[in-house]
Amino acid sequence: MLSLRAVAICSNFAFISYGLAAGLYPVLILHIVLLPLNVVFLVRMTILLRKAKLAAATDLSPLWMQPELAPVVWTAPRWI
């Protein structure tokens, strides 16, 4: 996904230059709007990937959750 987003950013630059050279303002405006969106999504994906790698490198033991897993006894409400 990161490489696809990088290709999208490169294509945004290519279409911006094409829109400027040919005077195609709808194409120019579209890719000027899409460029920051693609950059933001690329940065967010990179951050998420770093967090996922960090989480995979840590201890995956569920023992820290054991105190929270005490059995819950359900009682019927008084009106039943």
Side-chain angles (χ1 to χ4, degrees):
M1 288 302 291
L2 292 176
S3 58
L4 290 175
R5 193 61 68 177
V7 168
I9 291 170
C10 292
S11 80
N12 287 139
F13 281 121
F15 275 105
I16 287 171
S17 62
Y18 171 68
L20 280 173
L24 299 171
Y25 297 110
V27 172
L28 179 66
I29 292 170
L30 172 68
H31 289 280
I32 286 175
V33 170
L34 287 177
L35 179 63
L37 290 175
N38 281 326
V39 170
V40 166
F41 286 135
L42 179 67
V43 169
R44 288 177 63 188
M45 273 194 257
T46 305
I47 292 170
L48 181 64
L49 184 63
R50 285 183 188 160
K51 287 181 181 179
K53 286 182 181 179
L54 179 64
T58 59
D59 183 24
L60 299 177
S61 173
L63 294 178
W64 63 271
M65 197 170 33
Q66 204 166 20
E68 303 296 327
L69 297 177
V72 176
V73 178
W74 183 80
T75 58
R78 289 185 162 192
W79 51 272
I80 291 181

